[in-house]
Structure formats: C-alpha cells, structure tokens
Amino acid sequence: MKMPFLFGIHCHQPVGNFSHVVDEAVERCYAPFMETALLYPKFRFAAHYSGWLLDYIRQNHKAVFNNMKRLTDNNQIEFFTGGYYEPVLSAIPSGDRKGQIEKLSRYINNHFGQMPEGLWLTERVWDPAIITDVAEVGVRNMIVDDYHFISAGYYKEMLNGYYITEQDGKRVNLFPIDKNLRYLIPFKEEGVIVEYLEKTADSGGKCSVIFDDGEKFGVWPHTYEWVYEDGWMERFLDSVISSEKCEFAFFGEVAGGVKPSGLAYLPLTSYYEMGEWSLFTGRIAEMEKLQEHLKEEGLEDTAEVFVKGGIWKNFFSKYPESNRIHKRALRLSAYAAEADDEALTEALYKAQCNDALWHGIFGGLYLPNLRNNSWSFIIEAEKQYERIAGKQNAGVETADLDYDGYDDAYIRMENFNASFTSRDCGQMTTLELKRNNVNLVNTIARRKEAYHAALLKEKTDDDKSGISTIHDLNVEITDEMRSLLVYDWYNKNSFIDHVTEEFDAEQFALCAFGEMSDFTNQPAEMTAEERTLTFKRSGGIYHDGRAHKAEIVKKYSFEDNGIDFEIDIRTDCPAELVYVCEMNFHLWDMTGITVNGEACGVCHKGGNFEITDGITGKIILNTNAKGAESYVFSTVSQSEKGVDLTAQGLSLFIPMKFKGNVRFSGRITVE
C-alpha cells in the first residue's frame, strides 16, 4: 500500500483588496494551477479559499470557478472551510467563530456539493479554546504545523501521521504540516521532493502532509516562471504519480481509514516565524542570537523545542494601531449579537479579517489600504448599529475602548464619529467620516523592526539550485530608504503636544527634536459631558536641568460637521519656548495630498489650512496660529516582494512661541 501524500493549498486575499492585485493572483496562480490540475486526474488535493475570494472568483473569473467545479466532479478537490473573511479564530468571540465557519461551509456546499469536514486554521494560530466551537459546526480535521508538536516536546519522526485532541470532550484530528516539504515545494526540483517523500514512506510514515499558501504557485517572486513556464508543476505531478511508494489522497480518507498516532495536547502557538515576529523588536534580535549560539553548539534541533517566540495576540501589545482595530471589532461583536442584524453582522465579519492586524515578512499592518478596509468595515458596522439603536447623533460616550486601563471617549455626530484617549494626553485617535467610511487618523508610527538592521547588510545565497523561498530573498535598499529609517517614540495621533526651545521643521519630521514637556505621551484626566470633552494634566517642563511646573488643559466641543478646540498651557518656566501642536492625518491618495493647494514640505503662512487629496474629502483647520509646516512621513517595511517605501500620513506641525502661557484654539471641519 502506498503512503498517502496529503497536498493542500490555502488561497487568500485581504477582503476588499485592490481588484488588480486579486486579478493578477487569479491569472498568475489560481487559474493556471487549476488548469494544470485538470490534466492530471490522479492529482487529488485539498483546497481552502477564503470565502470572499471564492465569491470574487465566481463573479469575475467564471472559467476558473467552473474549473473548480470540474475538479470537484472528477473527485480531485477536497474543500476545507474556515472563517469566511479569514479571521484568526482565537481572536474573535465564540459566536462569530461559528458564524464565519458556517457561512463558508454553506457556500462551499451550495456551489460544490461538499460539506467540508476539514478546517484551515488562519495563520496556523492554534488555541485549544476553539476546539469546542469548530467541532460543533462539523469540523473533524484541522491543519497545524509540525512545529506545534515539536514545541510541545514531540520528535520529528513521530509526526508522519495525525493525532486526536480534545477540549471538554469535543474531539478533532490534527494533521501536522511537514516543514521540510514547506521549504521544498515548489522551490526545489521534483526529484528532490519525491526522494524525500519516499524516504518518509520507507520509514513507516502513515502519511505526509503539505498544506501551504497557494500563492507560492505563481504570485511569490519568480514562482510563475518556475512553476508554469519552466514546467515545474507538471514534472512534480508526473513524478509523484509515477512513484511506487506514495500517492495523492484526501485528508478525510486518511482520517477514516488510517489509525491516528495517538492523543496530543498542543500549546498556544503558530508557525515558528510568526512567534518570532510577534515579539518586541529587541527580543527578536536576542532570540536570533540565542538560536545562532545553539546552532554553533550543535543544539539546533533542541532549540526548536525550548526556544519559542511570542503568541499571535502579542501583536495587539506590540502595535497600538492593531489593537485599536481589534478592540473596536470586539465591541461591535457585542452590538451585533444583541441586534441580530444581517448588515451589521456582515460588516463586523469583514472587519475581523486578520491581514491588517499583524506584521512579519508580509506588509500587513504597514499597508494603508488594508487598514483603510478594516476601518471602512468598522465605520459601516457602527453606522448600522446607530441606525438600529437610534444613536446617529448621540454625542459623547466613555469607556476603556482599547483595554489599556485608561478612559477613552467615543463621539457620535451626524456626519462623523471620533475617538479620544486619556492615555496620550487627550489626543484624537480616530476621525471617522460617515459619508465614505474613512478614518482620517488611520496613521501608524514609524517603528524599528528587527529586519531593518538586516536590510543594511548584503545577503548571499550559496545554494543556486531551484529558487529562493520568500524567507531568503536578497533585497536591495535604496539611499532614500536608508534616510527614512526614522523611528517615532510616540503614537502618531492628532492633537499631540510638544514643547521645545526652538522649532526646526526638519528635526520634527525626522523625530530628532528635543522634547521639554511630559505632555506628549503621558496620561491626562478626562471629564466628559454630552457634547464636550476636557482633558487636564499637571506635569512639567524641563529646562536648564530643572523641572518647572506646567499644566495643560484641552477642551473639545462637537457639532454636526466639526470640532472646536482650545488648548491652554501654563508654566512657571521663565524661558521663551515654542509650543508645537502636531496633527496627523491619512487620506486615500497620500501622493496627491495638498495643504492650501500647495505640495507638502513647504511653509504654509497663516492659521488656516485646507487639506485634501482630491478624492477622500477636505479637512479644514482654522486656528489662531501664524503658520505651519507639513510633511508626508513614510515607513520602510518588508513584504513578500522585497522592501516597500510607503507613505503613511501627513504631519502638520503648528508652532507658537510663548512665555509663561499659550492658548492654541480653532476648529476642524470635515467635508
């Protein structure tokens, strides 16, 4: 009897992604993969497509969708379910977990006549807390990495089979993906891969599992040429089919006909790289040093068991911007459960898509369009909730929105909603236009990432056979990128308060100025009324080696289309100083943004500023200041295609000289 070779692909695009990006993935990957599969009736494989992507293909690429149906009729595809909009299942409430899985399972059954029993675990983020829910909606088989087992103390040779796990008496089967196959397929020649499979069969393996990103077969760099034009996929399929020791099979068949290898309980984890990425930057460097040391000591295999990174939810601690999206979705989930409204639930499910919540090799959180999409769905869900609850113009609500232990305020007005935090001295963290579902403060701070140091070093690759995996790409960084490796020590919200001895626009743009106050990133006391907010902090200004008393009071009042504000600072510091209010905004087209009709990077005279990109809308800022400097700030982040230089937001620095006290006042109007 031949060893079952369980081959699966997971295909996903972030919900609402650019259509040209999705179309390219279809044309270079999903379509040729299915066309090639049809040529090989003995090629039987599992497929997981996130629900919205599957429906996008149905509506826009009918030939590809029909090929999937043909493969189903040929008994070549075993469909796997999952969250319809690809959430990390352990990061959403129980009811939403079951609802999203059932939504995708129904879709698959309606269009392909299969009720899936297998589930793709988004980013392989494992948490035993999900077992009960997935079992209740008909899931029998789940996919994890072999690393999940190894980190629990299992030996590699124990993992050529599947295991049973349970929670509260509910059981599922766990199939560990072979990491070696993940790095071999499709990057190495077919002979190397089949030789590995046959060795696994010879060693008594009950099955061999590969279930990985479908985009590796045409979207990842150089893979389209390698897989299809150079004929790798056909050679690979020919080689496996002609093997006398292994054959393609379905997961369901193995679970029904092959005995499990035993009972297993796994810790909270994902794949190894994800655990590394979720650590704080300094810890990543320390972990890499420890791994290198253990490798030199000949303990590389042992290190996999005992050296672990963080867990996926650490991204909420690492990136406040990610946490804000996640916690807003949690609050909306409670609204949706209470309202039982289809439109609200649909917007919520879309907002739970995982892509904008984390960052590793992939752009994720650093891609503004993904964050824009998340905020669009959040704002739409809020509008649906307001419609149901009659809260379209409800004014100020207070709660700990971010779960950070500090009070926040959420303001509901006719044309916009906004949120403010007491954690960062009364700064505005969102400004949400209801007309087009845009968050105008969808910015992100420039943070040091562990790979920034590596980007400055030249990489070498001595292995010239096959092609590089995404983890080993040689990337080049330009001089412009080097100059923009700038790091912020505070969050890039709006109404950020600075005090400095003198104002230098370039130093502020590079975050290289000397801060003299403790207002920028420290908490303030919040007082809320129906249409007003007040924040007060008694702190200090530090000048000439002395701490001088200082107090800041920030008052906001809200009307249907705008926010009036007054910011007062008083201090006993005798020196002449400069107060700088920093406003950060994000518009759809950051390359076309103007202030008073002028490009950014120039001095804007007067106290009135009209900010627009010609697409999103206008932000009109009327103040009692005499001028401002504008600057578009960018991030340097790694992605599957190399290194991206991404415009993230507009910083408007508004300076005012003062001695003893200063008042900054004005109005923001959104159109």
Side-chain angles (χ1 to χ4, degrees), residues 309-375:
I311 63 174
W312 189 85
K313 286 185 178 180
N314 282 359
F315 287 111
F316 302 144
S317 301
K318 185 175 181 179
Y319 299 109
E321 299 87 355
S322 166
N323 184 57
R324 190 169 296 135
I325 291 171
H326 177 255
K327 298 307 182 289
R328 284 289 295 278
L330 278 185
R331 191 164 80 136
L332 286 164
S333 180
Y335 296 159
E338 181 181 340
D340 191 25
D341 179 78
E342 184 176 350
L344 172 52
T345 300
E346 186 70 5
L348 165 68
Y349 283 179
K350 291 178 180 178
Q352 292 172 335
C353 181
N354 80 92
D355 299 84
L357 297 177
W358 61 280
H359 175 66
I361 282 181
F362 308 100
L365 183 65
Y366 281 105
L367 296 178
N369 64 299
L370 298 188
R371 300 198 312 274
N372 285 342
N373 290 341
S374 293
W375 280 110

Side-chain angles (χ1 to χ4, degrees), residues 53-272:
L53 174 59
L54 202 55
D55 198 53
Y56 182 93
I57 294 172
R58 181 183 69 85
Q59 295 185 50
N60 298 280
H61 298 274
K62 297 186 187 305
V64 180
F65 199 79
N66 288 336
N67 280 343
M68 293 184 189
K69 288 184 175 181
R70 291 175 60 193
L71 287 163
T72 305
D73 293 339
N74 293 349
N75 195 32
Q76 288 185 251
I77 289 186
E78 177 186 19
F79 278 101
F80 268 53
T81 189
Y84 191 91
Y85 290 107
E86 202 71 8
V88 168
L89 292 176
S90 61
I92 64 175
S94 171
D96 297 340
R97 267 199 290 273
K98 291 186 282 190
Q100 288 234 29
I101 294 169
E102 288 176 323
K103 183 178 176 68
L104 181 53
S105 294
R106 285 195 304 269
Y107 187 95
I108 292 169
N109 192 39
N110 289 341
H111 290 282
F112 301 103
Q114 290 187 20
M115 183 54 74
E117 292 187 340
L119 179 136
W120 171 257
L121 198 60
T122 300
E123 297 301 333
R124 280 107 75 194
V125 178
W126 170 257
D127 186 331
I130 71 172
I131 294 173
T132 301
D133 288 336
V134 301
E136 285 181 4
V137 293
V139 171
R140 291 182 59 212
N141 306 314
M142 296 177 67
I143 310 300
V144 294
D145 272 350
D146 54 7
Y147 174 70
H148 290 67
F149 283 86
I150 290 170
S151 67
Y154 286 73
Y155 293 94
K156 176 68 176 175
E157 55 267 24
M158 299 168 67
L159 302 179
N160 294 314
Y162 72 95
Y163 284 80
I164 294 172
T165 193
E166 62 81 28
Q167 180 75 20
D168 301 330
K170 303 290 185 179
R171 55 189 282 173
V172 293
N173 301 319
L174 297 179
F175 287 82
I177 301 167
D178 189 326
K179 179 182 178 181
N180 293 330
L181 287 176
R182 277 207 298 129
Y183 280 77
L184 289 172
I185 297 174
F187 308 105
K188 299 301 180 182
E189 291 286 359
E190 70 283 354
V192 175
I193 299 166
V194 173
E195 181 182 1
Y196 179 83
L197 290 171
E198 292 182 342
K199 284 183 178 179
T200 302
D202 289 339
S203 67
K206 295 182 177 181
C207 63
S208 192
V209 179
I210 172 69
F211 208 129
D212 210 355
D213 294 345
E215 290 77 19
K216 292 168 70 170
F217 300 89
V219 174
W220 286 18
H222 315 300
T223 56
Y224 178 80
E225 296 79 8
W226 171 254
V227 172
Y228 303 114
E229 292 183 349
D230 294 345
W232 176 90
M233 187 168 178
E234 293 185 353
R235 296 195 308 272
F236 166 70
L237 295 178
D238 281 328
S239 297
V240 175
I241 290 169
S242 63
S243 171
E244 296 181 356
K245 298 182 179 180
C246 61
E247 63 182 353
F248 291 111
F250 288 161
F251 287 84
E253 294 171 344
V254 171
V258 177
K259 288 294 184 182
S261 298
L263 178 66
Y265 293 93
L266 305 181
L268 271 68
T269 190
S270 180
Y271 48 91
Y272 176 84

Side-chain angles (χ1 to χ4, degrees), residues 398-550:
T398 59
D400 181 6
L401 300 178
D402 299 337
Y403 290 39
D404 61 2
Y406 292 86
D407 288 336
D408 305 291
Y410 193 64
I411 296 88
R412 301 180 186 276
M413 303 304 296
E414 188 68 31
N415 298 315
F416 73 93
N417 291 349
S419 54
F420 291 76
T421 177
S422 66
R423 173 64 184 83
D424 286 328
C425 205
Q427 294 170 16
M428 181 168 66
T429 53
T430 71
L431 181 56
E432 305 162 18
L433 298 189
K434 294 182 178 180
R435 176 179 60 84
N436 51 10
N437 293 354
V438 175
N439 175 13
L440 293 171
V441 192
N442 178 24
T443 53
I444 187 170
R446 298 166 293 184
R447 292 186 178 83
K448 186 175 183 179
E449 297 291 350
Y451 55 75
H452 283 167
L455 291 178
L456 301 175
K457 298 178 181 178
E458 184 176 347
K459 293 184 179 180
T460 60
D461 187 0
D462 297 328
D463 184 2
K464 301 302 180 182
S465 64
I467 58 174
S468 298
T469 76
I470 196 169
H471 302 283
D472 302 315
L473 291 176
N474 288 315
V475 295
E476 296 181 2
I477 184 170
T478 65
D479 290 338
E480 180 186 15
M481 289 179 178
R482 287 189 179 89
S483 70
L484 292 176
L485 283 173
V486 173
Y487 308 119
D488 298 305
W489 52 270
Y490 55 90
N491 296 321
K492 296 293 261 188
N493 301 318
S494 279
F495 293 107
I496 303 173
D497 308 293
H498 301 287
V499 176
T500 185
E501 200 156 22
E502 59 182 36
F503 175 70
D504 184 309
E506 183 177 358
Q507 293 299 300
F508 266 77
L510 297 175
C511 203
F513 60 93
E515 178 62 54
M516 298 173 63
S517 78
D518 56 14
F519 302 146
T520 306
N521 64 351
Q522 295 300 306
E525 296 178 3
M526 182 177 76
T527 304
E529 297 180 11
E530 185 179 358
R531 291 286 189 273
T532 62
L533 271 178
T534 302
F535 295 90
K536 181 179 179 181
R537 175 176 173 79
S538 297
I541 289 175
Y542 306 88
H543 182 260
D544 286 343
R546 292 180 55 198
H548 300 272
K549 292 181 180 179

Side-chain angles (χ1 to χ4, degrees), residues 560-578:
D560 285 347
N561 68 334
I563 304 171
D564 293 309
F565 60 87
E566 286 184 2
I567 300 173
D568 288 283
I569 295 178
R570 295 184 178 276
T571 180
D572 61 7
C573 179
E576 183 175 80
L577 304 171
V578 181

